[in-house]
Amino acid sequence: HLDMCFRAKQKILQEEYGDVVEILDTRFGFDAIGGIEKPIAKLKEIARYMRDGERSLVPQSIGFYGPPGTGKTLVATALAREARINCVKKRDLKDSLVGKSERNLTRFHNALRDLAPLIVFNDEYDQAQVSRGSFDGDSGVSKDFLKKELEIMSDPDLIGRVLFITASNRSDLIDTALKRAGRCDLRIPFPPFDAETLAKICQAALVQNPDVKSRVENFFLFANRCEGYNGADMMVIVRRAWEHAHQSGRDAIESADMDWACRDYIPQKANEAEIALMTLLAFRESSSISLFPDGWEKMHEKYSRILVEHYGTDD
């Protein structure tokens, strides 16, 4: 009955405010995510605070920083599911008509008041925002927008009821006003995955796709061959392994299918220096060392070395 009520509410919200917000899919919870244990443990606490109405313990906003494909969107929607609330993404509210952008932003603010409690997920925020004081070429509309967004985030009626999550690959390009303590209280790094985490993502793929069956007992043997891959890559490999098993007349993935999928799959080639920069920025922007993954020192050393090789400095 709760699921039916939740879906009915989503439909109403989409019909009423679909022009300013997009309601995201919250089918999967934290059990469908591989790895990222430390941040998830912290976010489970925040979900409980939101469920219990303990507004003073809910951060005003959270920053998710790191390279693409490291689970930022999935973690945000899983947090909403854990808190039993909706997760929305703000649509592009800027308009060429005079005054329309401001009216859209006011409508967005009203939507948050009506939809609360909820999570607002701002993805690729470094590309959507212009830092205050910079030339934006649109007669100051972007700077006015940022000012009004900061006012919305500081609305005392929304604090503890609306949780803003800002995700970015390049956190250094986000205005410092959005990252300072007191506005963004929790900043979580999402670094690239090691082999152990990639193996857990393979297990999570089975949770997200319950029709996929597997008799593979140890995904680490295959994940260890996929250094540099992201979560999306591993999801594709599991799906391809399942397709290969099906074509071979098997009712479950076996080691031979995973071996074929790993050999056949060609990931989109990532720029090593860019990944290194994004990762080091994520660590630098983090608000707590306790959120770093185990063995982060070696990862930091590795990516610092890559930056020095490419740019001559890791600063």
Side-chain angles (χ1 to χ4, degrees), residues 19-20 92-107 141 145:
D19 58 327
V20 293
D92 185 1
L93 304 181
K94 295 180 182 178
D95 196 283
S96 58
L97 296 177
V98 176
K100 183 65 181 300
S101 297
E102 289 75 10
R103 288 195 294 272
N104 287 342
L105 192 57
T106 298
R107 181 164 169 74
V141 172
F145 238 64

Side-chain angles (χ1 to χ4, degrees), residues 4 23 35-36 38 43 45 65-66 79 109 118 132 147 169 177 246 302 311:
M4 291 178 62
I23 299 178
I36 325 180
K38 292 180 180 179
L43 293 172
E45 294 180 359
Y65 305 140
L79 172 59
H109 192 182
L118 83 165
R132 292 185 300 177
K147 179 181 177 181
N169 303 331
H246 181 74
K302 169 187 173 181
Y311 300 115

Side-chain angles (χ1 to χ4, degrees), residues 194-210:
D194 58 14
E196 183 178 348
T197 301
L198 291 176
K200 292 177 181 178
I201 290 173
C202 292
Q203 291 287 356
L206 303 179
V207 177
Q208 292 187 28
N209 301 278

